[in-house]
Amino acid sequence: MTPERAGAVRARAVPVPPDVTLPVGADRVLAGRELVAVPYRLGWELAEEVVGYGDAVVVLEPADVRDQVVGMLRVAATLDRAGARVSGGVEEVRGA
């Protein structure tokens, strides 16, 4: 997590267990970031919250939450590329 950002996630953070095993390459991803553990109830809820913080938060584990975040970000990127057209005052997105 980027310092000074994602305040709501940071407020729920708990100490990272000292024996945690990080995925390969995590040291590169964590450069300039803080490692935090965040309790959650439902993976999709956490994923939706994390997506809202953009590049301020990176999910390393669990894999299912990380995959949901990546999927949501891909959809958002597709919407941006797809272009929107205005029809009768209502924006319609194509290609989503």
Side-chain angles (χ1 to χ4, degrees), residues 72-84 91 93-96:
M72 289 177 199
L73 290 171
R74 283 187 176 143
V75 168
T78 301
L79 293 174
D80 187 47
R81 283 192 310 257
E91 185 173 327
V93 178
R94 298 195 171 241

Side-chain angles (χ1 to χ4, degrees), residues 4-53:
E4 307 301 324
R5 293 184 60 197
V9 173
R10 184 180 307 284
R12 293 196 322 272
V14 298
V16 176
D19 61 343
V20 70
T21 302
L22 298 176
V24 174
D27 54 335
R28 290 188 321 260
V29 173
L30 290 172
R33 297 177 181 272
E34 299 171 61
L35 179 63
V36 300
V38 180
Y40 65 96
R41 195 169 45 95
L42 299 171
W44 66 267
E45 286 180 334
L46 180 60
E48 283 185 349
E49 180 178 6
V50 166
V51 165
Y53 290 112

